[in-house]
Amino acid sequence: MDRTKQIEQSIIKKYRKPIWRKFVKGVQAYDMIQPGDKIAVCISGGKDSMLMAKLLQELKHHGKFDFGLVFLSMDPGYNEKNRHKIEENAKILDIPVEFFESDIFQVVTNIEKSPCYLCARMRRGFLYAKAKELGCNKIALGHHFDDVIETILMGMFYGSQVQTMMPKLHSTNFEGMELIRPMYLIEEKDIIHWCEYNDLHFIQCACRFTEEMEELGEVHHTSKREEMKNLLKYLETMNPNVKKNVFKSVENVNLATIIAYSDDEGKHHFLDTYDKGE
């Protein structure tokens, strides 16, 4: 059995419960894929997007209905080493990646305030535009369960709001386009175990800005997301179910116990209807 087949088999067999079943459950529970969809699988070159590509590829091979896949990788200005690593891993995994170029890294390097936020926004815009050009109606991103939990906590601690990273979204800027997150229920630790088991090594951060700061010795790996990861690790020593409980908390919202909330009609305060309930 060649290496690609062994990797594919590991998803279906050894990691069936923590990865494959959770992937299928997420796709079905949130109705992410319909017959006739054409999905742009967005590949950054990291472990998450590469596993997502294999999962969707396997689902297409073994699924009950037909849908199309385009494996799309935007090169925002990778150095030669990182570009080669993505191409090498795509070959190992038998993923027919289509590359297209942009100058995002060059643009955001000169931005002092929130370059990462701007980079992410620009990358998504480029991906939506290219996907639509190729006739796709959806883009798939490789966010996983831990990303969801960390986003909820960052919103509470730093944004003063309760919100979550949704499993799918309609695009507000590209009509008819939708974003889906097929790895929504898969935990990061299981993705790491899968990589280690198959001796797979993916790029970490390909950002030119970070590379330059590291060369100058000026980068500190203490992002807000990293803070949330460390906090969750600490909380799990006291309660191993803490991440699952955080996730369930945004499914079990009781509006009668919320001081204020917002929806499409505006902001609502509990005092608006308080006396009516007497």
Side-chain angles (χ1 to χ4, degrees):
M1 186 184 298
D2 65 26
R3 190 179 180 195
T4 303
K5 291 297 182 185
Q6 289 177 333
I7 292 169
E8 292 171 349
Q9 194 172 80
S10 73
I11 293 172
I12 302 298
K13 292 188 175 181
K14 183 174 179 60
Y15 292 93
R16 187 175 188 84
K17 184 176 180 179
I19 292 180
W20 178 251
R21 284 183 181 173
K22 288 184 178 180
F23 162 70
V24 173
K25 180 181 178 180
V27 169
Q28 293 178 342
Y30 301 112
D31 196 25
M32 293 189 193
I33 302 174
Q34 286 80 38
D37 279 344
K38 186 175 182 181
I39 304 167
V41 184
C42 300
I43 295 174
S44 66
K47 67 184 189 319
D48 306 327
S49 62
M50 285 293 197
L51 173 57
M52 176 182 67
K54 286 309 297 179
L55 289 168
L56 287 167
Q57 200 176 52
E58 287 297 296
L59 184 64
K60 181 173 172 61
H61 289 162
H62 304 294
K64 296 179 180 179
F65 58 82
D66 190 39
F67 59 92
L69 295 174
V70 175
F71 300 97
L72 198 59
S73 182
M74 181 191 65
D75 185 339
Y78 293 133
N79 63 38
E80 188 176 335
K81 181 181 177 181
N82 284 329
R83 172 70 177 254
H84 175 72
K85 188 64 177 176
I86 296 171
E87 293 171 338
E88 180 183 59
N89 282 325
K91 186 174 181 180
I92 290 171
L93 295 170
D94 191 28
I95 299 170
V97 178
E98 296 183 28
F99 286 90
F100 71 100
E101 320 293 325
S102 77
D103 61 352
I104 290 177
F105 281 176
Q106 184 178 349
V107 172
V108 300
T109 298
N110 299 316
I111 303 296
E112 293 184 6
K113 188 176 181 181
S114 303
C116 296
Y117 173 78
L118 178 61
C119 180
R121 294 271 299 183
M122 291 179 67
R123 286 168 73 121
R124 190 168 301 180
F126 272 97
L127 287 166
Y128 266 122
K130 187 64 177 180
K132 191 162 187 177
E133 177 188 318
L134 295 173
C136 300
N137 65 313
K138 292 179 179 177
I139 67 170
L141 300 184
H143 296 119
H144 48 65
F145 186 77
D146 293 70
D147 290 323
V148 178
I149 306 307
E150 291 155 17
T151 298
I152 294 169
L153 295 183
M154 285 192 296
M156 294 173 66
F157 294 168
Y158 296 106
S160 303
Q161 58 188 340
V162 177
Q163 62 175 14
T164 188
M165 178 183 283
M166 298 297 286
K168 64 179 184 178
L169 290 168
H170 288 293
S171 172
T172 54
N173 298 319
F174 295 86
E175 187 177 354
M177 293 293 293
E178 194 174 354
L179 179 155
I180 61 173
R181 295 183 167 105
M183 301 212 299
Y184 199 74
L185 300 179
I186 299 174
E187 294 188 59
E188 186 175 29
K189 64 180 177 62
D190 295 315
I191 299 173
I192 293 171
H193 290 163
W194 174 79
C195 293
E196 292 173 346
Y197 176 79
N198 289 290
D199 194 27
L200 291 166
H201 305 277
F202 301 105
I203 65 173
Q204 299 297 317
C205 178
C207 175
R208 284 287 179 89
F209 177 78
T210 302
E211 288 173 353
E212 291 174 5
M213 291 300 100
E214 285 180 335
E215 289 175 3
L216 295 171
E218 296 179 2
V219 67
H220 303 285
H221 298 285
T222 54
S223 68
K224 295 295 183 285
R225 189 167 291 277
E226 196 66 29
E227 288 179 10
M228 295 304 101
K229 286 181 182 294
N230 293 332
L231 174 62
L232 286 165
K233 285 179 183 177
Y234 170 69
L235 293 174
E236 282 183 308
T237 63
M238 296 179 285
N239 178 4
N241 294 316
V242 66
K243 286 192 292 189
K244 293 178 181 177
N245 289 343
V246 171
F247 185 83
K248 282 293 183 183
S249 74
V250 294
E251 287 189 333
N252 298 322
V253 177
N254 182 349
L255 293 182
T257 66
I258 299 296
I259 293 173
Y261 68 94
S262 299
D263 58 21
D264 292 340
E265 297 179 357
K267 189 169 184 177
H268 308 273
H269 196 280
F270 87 101
L271 288 177
D272 296 340
T273 57
Y274 181 76
D275 290 331
K276 296 177 183 179
E278 289 184 344

